[in-house]
Amino acid sequence: MVIYMKMYDLIQKKKNREHLSVEEIEYIVHNFTSCEIPDYQMSAFLMAVCLNGMDHEETAALTIAMANSGEMLDLSRIEGVKVDKHSTGGVGDKTSLVLGPMVAALGIPVAKMSGRGLGHTGGTIDKLESFPGFSTTISTEQFIQNVNRIKMAIVGQTTNLAPADKKIYALRDVTATVDNISLIASSIMSKKIASGSEVIVLDVKTGSGAFMKSLEASIALAKEMVEIGTIAGRRTYAVITDMNQPLGTTVGNTMEVIEAIETLRGEGPKDLLEISITLAAFMVLGAGKANTIIEAKKMLQDTIDNRSALDKLVEFVAAQGGDSSYVYATDKFCKASLTDKVTAKSNGYITEIHTEEVGMTSLVLGGGRETKDSVIDLSVGLKIHKKIGDFVYQGEALAQLFANDKVKLTQAKERLQNAYVIGNVKPKELKYIYAVVTKDGIEML
């Protein structure tokens, strides 16, 4: 029996805080994607959702409808339990470049679709293009072959992956309807579900440089996404990680690649290593290769100690056409032509870093995109010398900037100077990881 629906009535239901059925949500997603529902009606519906919310069942239905709106990647020809990871975004976030080779070195297939960055730095795809010749546009057949052969491949998202999400997000972006947990969660998870992996690990950032500024909001988003993944039949874990300061010591595409390589050599910063290993441990646990997180972490640390993760990165880069010699000789990467330091204006402790401003500094230098058509300068960025809790003397270097344009360098220096707050009292030490959310509940760390 065909049930007749009108978008007007569905908007009215959500405005009146009534529950929408799976069929009603599928109707909205399908008909908006096919242009049967006009933007003005969808805008009204999205605003009603922002004001009145959606329950778990509605959010899951929206997610699955968006995932089913286009191509559902079939990974059945890949041997083993496929794992994937997603970050809600941050400054200096290069964990995929670290954890991917570690997990693949344990024989677990990492079949990942990633996007390009829009904002202060490039995405994983942009960073990988620091390797000359590296291609993220390999065919689906080559993608599957690479994962079966070396257990790792990363490609750009196809244009037909969750097209409903792309269309809905574009409307949310211009109608002040972005900041709703159900809409955020469904947007992220629709792409992850469509990407086909059986295990999904979510890195949910919290703090001044994250989309979700408070721990409470980050946990709420994590719970929603884990609930969606569980309903969709995926083993889903969320780790709440700190973004009150940049992750690691570098911000900028090629510089972050080098730092990831250093981490795989056992020479990286402690925060990047700990967060990468923790995220990777849940991928290992979900794939059934370890019985506990402690066991999984030990296995992952071994891949660094015996260099198998570094060797796996070499295999991965070469398999996608890149010059893998750069992994063993990082001085070959293209470098920026100009440099300058940002120094402390007074003695004291670093009490706060306005992390979004650090990200915007990279954007000013040319390391990110202001629009989708912007061209990224992969070589520019910054190296952080002092982080929260460090004591500094007046005139001591806080960070070093790398640029290819004098005007941009001057603008970036002023911006980064204002991102640091120096005080007389040493602040409380920040955690790297605050909580883990699974289908069984929340564990605060």
Side-chain angles (χ1 to χ4, degrees), residues 258-280:
I258 293 171
E259 186 170 48
I261 292 169
E262 291 170 348
T263 303
L264 291 173
R265 290 202 308 248
E267 302 164 0
K270 184 180 177 182
D271 58 345
L272 176 58
L273 177 62
E274 184 174 324
I275 289 173
S276 297
I277 282 186
T278 301
L279 293 168

PDB file of all heavy atoms in Angstrom, residues 258-280:
ATOM      1  N   ILE A 258      55.676  14.561   8.000  1.00  0.00           N
ATOM      2  CA  ILE A 258      56.989  14.283   8.570  1.00  0.00           C
ATOM      3  C   ILE A 258      56.863  13.884  10.039  1.00  0.00           C
ATOM      4  O   ILE A 258      57.507  12.938  10.504  1.00  0.00           O
ATOM      5  CB  ILE A 258      57.919  15.506   8.404  1.00  0.00           C
ATOM      6  CG1 ILE A 258      58.220  15.736   6.913  1.00  0.00           C
ATOM      7  CG2 ILE A 258      59.221  15.313   9.192  1.00  0.00           C
ATOM      8  CD1 ILE A 258      58.942  17.034   6.606  1.00  0.00           C
ATOM      9  N   GLU A 259      55.996  14.589  10.784  1.00  0.00           N
ATOM     10  CA  GLU A 259      55.807  14.255  12.196  1.00  0.00           C
ATOM     11  C   GLU A 259      55.195  12.866  12.365  1.00  0.00           C
ATOM     12  O   GLU A 259      55.554  12.125  13.295  1.00  0.00           O
ATOM     13  CB  GLU A 259      54.927  15.301  12.877  1.00  0.00           C
ATOM     14  CG  GLU A 259      54.807  15.092  14.375  1.00  0.00           C
ATOM     15  CD  GLU A 259      54.150  16.254  15.088  1.00  0.00           C
ATOM     16  OE1 GLU A 259      53.073  16.725  14.628  1.00  0.00           O
ATOM     17  OE2 GLU A 259      54.703  16.708  16.102  1.00  0.00           O
ATOM     18  N   ALA A 260      54.297  12.491  11.462  1.00  0.00           N
ATOM     19  CA  ALA A 260      53.721  11.146  11.510  1.00  0.00           C
ATOM     20  C   ALA A 260      54.797  10.090  11.273  1.00  0.00           C
ATOM     21  O   ALA A 260      54.839   9.052  11.948  1.00  0.00           O
ATOM     22  CB  ALA A 260      52.605  11.012  10.470  1.00  0.00           C
ATOM     23  N   ILE A 261      55.680  10.357  10.320  1.00  0.00           N
ATOM     24  CA  ILE A 261      56.784   9.437  10.045  1.00  0.00           C
ATOM     25  C   ILE A 261      57.692   9.323  11.270  1.00  0.00           C
ATOM     26  O   ILE A 261      58.109   8.223  11.660  1.00  0.00           O
ATOM     27  CB  ILE A 261      57.582   9.900   8.805  1.00  0.00           C
ATOM     28  CG1 ILE A 261      56.715   9.761   7.535  1.00  0.00           C
ATOM     29  CG2 ILE A 261      58.887   9.100   8.656  1.00  0.00           C
ATOM     30  CD1 ILE A 261      57.303  10.428   6.311  1.00  0.00           C
ATOM     31  N   GLU A 262      58.001  10.447  11.894  1.00  0.00           N
ATOM     32  CA  GLU A 262      58.829  10.443  13.104  1.00  0.00           C
ATOM     33  C   GLU A 262      58.170   9.618  14.213  1.00  0.00           C
ATOM     34  O   GLU A 262      58.845   8.892  14.953  1.00  0.00           O
ATOM     35  CB  GLU A 262      59.072  11.870  13.581  1.00  0.00           C
ATOM     36  CG  GLU A 262      59.970  12.669  12.657  1.00  0.00           C
ATOM     37  CD  GLU A 262      60.017  14.155  12.995  1.00  0.00           C
ATOM     38  OE1 GLU A 262      59.162  14.610  13.811  1.00  0.00           O
ATOM     39  OE2 GLU A 262      60.872  14.859  12.433  1.00  0.00           O
ATOM     40  N   THR A 263      56.856   9.705  14.305  1.00  0.00           N
ATOM     41  CA  THR A 263      56.117   8.940  15.317  1.00  0.00           C
ATOM     42  C   THR A 263      56.214   7.449  15.042  1.00  0.00           C
ATOM     43  O   THR A 263      56.397   6.641  15.964  1.00  0.00           O
ATOM     44  CB  THR A 263      54.649   9.388  15.368  1.00  0.00           C
ATOM     45  OG1 THR A 263      54.604  10.798  15.622  1.00  0.00           O
ATOM     46  CG2 THR A 263      53.882   8.668  16.457  1.00  0.00           C
ATOM     47  N   LEU A 264      56.123   7.063  13.786  1.00  0.00           N
ATOM     48  CA  LEU A 264      56.264   5.656  13.418  1.00  0.00           C
ATOM     49  C   LEU A 264      57.697   5.153  13.617  1.00  0.00           C
ATOM     50  O   LEU A 264      57.926   3.950  13.722  1.00  0.00           O
ATOM     51  CB  LEU A 264      55.816   5.438  11.968  1.00  0.00           C
ATOM     52  CG  LEU A 264      54.314   5.608  11.703  1.00  0.00           C
ATOM     53  CD1 LEU A 264      54.015   5.529  10.214  1.00  0.00           C
ATOM     54  CD2 LEU A 264      53.499   4.567  12.466  1.00  0.00           C
ATOM     55  N   ARG A 265      58.651   6.082  13.689  1.00  0.00           N
ATOM     56  CA  ARG A 265      60.041   5.723  14.001  1.00  0.00           C
ATOM     57  C   ARG A 265      60.277   5.656  15.503  1.00  0.00           C
ATOM     58  O   ARG A 265      61.386   5.385  15.955  1.00  0.00           O
ATOM     59  CB  ARG A 265      61.008   6.758  13.402  1.00  0.00           C
ATOM     60  CG  ARG A 265      61.123   6.750  11.892  1.00  0.00           C
ATOM     61  CD  ARG A 265      62.442   7.377  11.444  1.00  0.00           C
ATOM     62  NE  ARG A 265      62.668   8.698  12.021  1.00  0.00           N
ATOM     63  CZ  ARG A 265      62.675   9.838  11.326  1.00  0.00           C
ATOM     64  NH1 ARG A 265      62.438   9.822  10.027  1.00  0.00           N
ATOM     65  NH2 ARG A 265      62.914  10.977  11.935  1.00  0.00           N
ATOM     66  N   GLY A 266      59.249   5.988  16.291  1.00  0.00           N
ATOM     67  CA  GLY A 266      59.401   6.006  17.739  1.00  0.00           C
ATOM     68  C   GLY A 266      59.948   7.307  18.264  1.00  0.00           C
ATOM     69  O   GLY A 266      60.391   7.388  19.421  1.00  0.00           O
ATOM     70  N   GLU A 267      59.900   8.370  17.444  1.00  0.00           N
ATOM     71  CA  GLU A 267      60.493   9.650  17.817  1.00  0.00           C
ATOM     72  C   GLU A 267      59.461  10.778  17.847  1.00  0.00           C
ATOM     73  O   GLU A 267      59.823  11.956  17.856  1.00  0.00           O
ATOM     74  CB  GLU A 267      61.606  10.006  16.817  1.00  0.00           C
ATOM     75  CG  GLU A 267      62.706   8.954  16.728  1.00  0.00           C
ATOM     76  CD  GLU A 267      63.580   9.112  15.497  1.00  0.00           C
ATOM     77  OE1 GLU A 267      63.327  10.054  14.710  1.00  0.00           O
ATOM     78  OE2 GLU A 267      64.507   8.301  15.320  1.00  0.00           O
ATOM     79  N   GLY A 268      58.192  10.440  17.880  1.00  0.00           N
ATOM     80  CA  GLY A 268      57.151  11.457  17.818  1.00  0.00           C
ATOM     81  C   GLY A 268      56.734  11.980  19.183  1.00  0.00           C
ATOM     82  O   GLY A 268      57.153  11.450  20.222  1.00  0.00           O
ATOM     83  N   PRO A 269      55.890  13.001  19.215  1.00  0.00           N
ATOM     84  CA  PRO A 269      55.414  13.563  20.480  1.00  0.00           C
ATOM     85  C   PRO A 269      54.491  12.594  21.216  1.00  0.00           C
ATOM     86  O   PRO A 269      53.775  11.799  20.601  1.00  0.00           O
ATOM     87  CB  PRO A 269      54.673  14.831  20.060  1.00  0.00           C
ATOM     88  CG  PRO A 269      54.309  14.601  18.631  1.00  0.00           C
ATOM     89  CD  PRO A 269      55.382  13.738  18.051  1.00  0.00           C
ATOM     90  N   LYS A 270      54.510  12.700  22.535  1.00  0.00           N
ATOM     91  CA  LYS A 270      53.789  11.753  23.388  1.00  0.00           C
ATOM     92  C   LYS A 270      52.289  11.786  23.145  1.00  0.00           C
ATOM     93  O   LYS A 270      51.626  10.740  23.098  1.00  0.00           O
ATOM     94  CB  LYS A 270      54.092  12.058  24.852  1.00  0.00           C
ATOM     95  CG  LYS A 270      53.477  11.068  25.830  1.00  0.00           C
ATOM     96  CD  LYS A 270      53.824  11.428  27.266  1.00  0.00           C
ATOM     97  CE  LYS A 270      53.145  10.480  28.247  1.00  0.00           C
ATOM     98  NZ  LYS A 270      53.435  10.849  29.660  1.00  0.00           N
ATOM     99  N   ASP A 271      51.708  12.988  22.987  1.00  0.00           N
ATOM    100  CA  ASP A 271      50.250  13.072  22.833  1.00  0.00           C
ATOM    101  C   ASP A 271      49.785  12.420  21.544  1.00  0.00           C
ATOM    102  O   ASP A 271      48.801  11.673  21.523  1.00  0.00           O
ATOM    103  CB  ASP A 271      49.757  14.527  22.933  1.00  0.00           C
ATOM    104  CG  ASP A 271      50.382  15.464  21.906  1.00  0.00           C
ATOM    105  OD1 ASP A 271      51.394  15.100  21.280  1.00  0.00           O
ATOM    106  OD2 ASP A 271      49.861  16.590  21.756  1.00  0.00           O
ATOM    107  N   LEU A 272      50.508  12.661  20.456  1.00  0.00           N
ATOM    108  CA  LEU A 272      50.140  12.060  19.167  1.00  0.00           C
ATOM    109  C   LEU A 272      50.237  10.543  19.229  1.00  0.00           C
ATOM    110  O   LEU A 272      49.351   9.830  18.739  1.00  0.00           O
ATOM    111  CB  LEU A 272      51.030  12.613  18.053  1.00  0.00           C
ATOM    112  CG  LEU A 272      50.827  12.009  16.661  1.00  0.00           C
ATOM    113  CD1 LEU A 272      49.395  12.179  16.177  1.00  0.00           C
ATOM    114  CD2 LEU A 272      51.804  12.624  15.664  1.00  0.00           C
ATOM    115  N   LEU A 273      51.292  10.036  19.844  1.00  0.00           N
ATOM    116  CA  LEU A 273      51.468   8.582  19.944  1.00  0.00           C
ATOM    117  C   LEU A 273      50.376   7.953  20.799  1.00  0.00           C
ATOM    118  O   LEU A 273      49.775   6.944  20.406  1.00  0.00           O
ATOM    119  CB  LEU A 273      52.845   8.258  20.539  1.00  0.00           C
ATOM    120  CG  LEU A 273      53.135   6.771  20.755  1.00  0.00           C
ATOM    121  CD1 LEU A 273      53.122   6.015  19.426  1.00  0.00           C
ATOM    122  CD2 LEU A 273      54.470   6.582  21.469  1.00  0.00           C
ATOM    123  N   GLU A 274      50.097   8.539  21.965  1.00  0.00           N
ATOM    124  CA  GLU A 274      49.118   7.940  22.870  1.00  0.00           C
ATOM    125  C   GLU A 274      47.718   7.930  22.265  1.00  0.00           C
ATOM    126  O   GLU A 274      47.004   6.919  22.340  1.00  0.00           O
ATOM    127  CB  GLU A 274      49.087   8.703  24.201  1.00  0.00           C
ATOM    128  CG  GLU A 274      48.142   8.069  25.218  1.00  0.00           C
ATOM    129  CD  GLU A 274      48.213   8.712  26.587  1.00  0.00           C
ATOM    130  OE1 GLU A 274      49.313   9.120  26.998  1.00  0.00           O
ATOM    131  OE2 GLU A 274      47.156   8.798  27.255  1.00  0.00           O
ATOM    132  N   ILE A 275      47.332   9.028  21.637  1.00  0.00           N
ATOM    133  CA  ILE A 275      45.996   9.088  21.037  1.00  0.00           C
ATOM    134  C   ILE A 275      45.900   8.141  19.844  1.00  0.00           C
ATOM    135  O   ILE A 275      44.907   7.423  19.680  1.00  0.00           O
ATOM    136  CB  ILE A 275      45.641  10.536  20.641  1.00  0.00           C
ATOM    137  CG1 ILE A 275      45.394  11.361  21.915  1.00  0.00           C
ATOM    138  CG2 ILE A 275      44.414  10.579  19.730  1.00  0.00           C
ATOM    139  CD1 ILE A 275      45.202  12.844  21.679  1.00  0.00           C
ATOM    140  N   SER A 276      46.937   8.107  19.014  1.00  0.00           N
ATOM    141  CA  SER A 276      46.924   7.213  17.842  1.00  0.00           C
ATOM    142  C   SER A 276      46.841   5.754  18.263  1.00  0.00           C
ATOM    143  O   SER A 276      46.065   4.971  17.689  1.00  0.00           O
ATOM    144  CB  SER A 276      48.177   7.442  16.985  1.00  0.00           C
ATOM    145  OG  SER A 276      48.204   8.753  16.459  1.00  0.00           O
ATOM    146  N   ILE A 277      47.636   5.365  19.268  1.00  0.00           N
ATOM    147  CA  ILE A 277      47.628   3.969  19.718  1.00  0.00           C
ATOM    148  C   ILE A 277      46.284   3.611  20.355  1.00  0.00           C
ATOM    149  O   ILE A 277      45.768   2.504  20.151  1.00  0.00           O
ATOM    150  CB  ILE A 277      48.799   3.702  20.684  1.00  0.00           C
ATOM    151  CG1 ILE A 277      50.091   3.547  19.880  1.00  0.00           C
ATOM    152  CG2 ILE A 277      48.551   2.453  21.533  1.00  0.00           C
ATOM    153  CD1 ILE A 277      51.306   3.143  20.694  1.00  0.00           C
ATOM    154  N   THR A 278      45.691   4.545  21.097  1.00  0.00           N
ATOM    155  CA  THR A 278      44.395   4.257  21.723  1.00  0.00           C
ATOM    156  C   THR A 278      43.307   4.064  20.672  1.00  0.00           C
ATOM    157  O   THR A 278      42.521   3.106  20.739  1.00  0.00           O
ATOM    158  CB  THR A 278      43.993   5.393  22.694  1.00  0.00           C
ATOM    159  OG1 THR A 278      45.007   5.518  23.697  1.00  0.00           O
ATOM    160  CG2 THR A 278      42.658   5.094  23.354  1.00  0.00           C
ATOM    161  N   LEU A 279      43.246   4.950  19.693  1.00  0.00           N
ATOM    162  CA  LEU A 279      42.257   4.805  18.617  1.00  0.00           C
ATOM    163  C   LEU A 279      42.482   3.492  17.869  1.00  0.00           C
ATOM    164  O   LEU A 279      41.541   2.743  17.594  1.00  0.00           O
ATOM    165  CB  LEU A 279      42.358   5.989  17.653  1.00  0.00           C
ATOM    166  CG  LEU A 279      41.965   7.358  18.193  1.00  0.00           C
ATOM    167  CD1 LEU A 279      42.390   8.460  17.222  1.00  0.00           C
ATOM    168  CD2 LEU A 279      40.462   7.440  18.438  1.00  0.00           C
ATOM    169  N   ALA A 280      43.743   3.226  17.546  1.00  0.00           N
ATOM    170  CA  ALA A 280      44.079   1.996  16.814  1.00  0.00           C
ATOM    171  C   ALA A 280      43.736   0.749  17.629  1.00  0.00           C
ATOM    172  O   ALA A 280      43.324  -0.276  17.076  1.00  0.00           O
ATOM    173  CB  ALA A 280      45.560   1.999  16.453  1.00  0.00           C
TER     174      ALA A 280
END
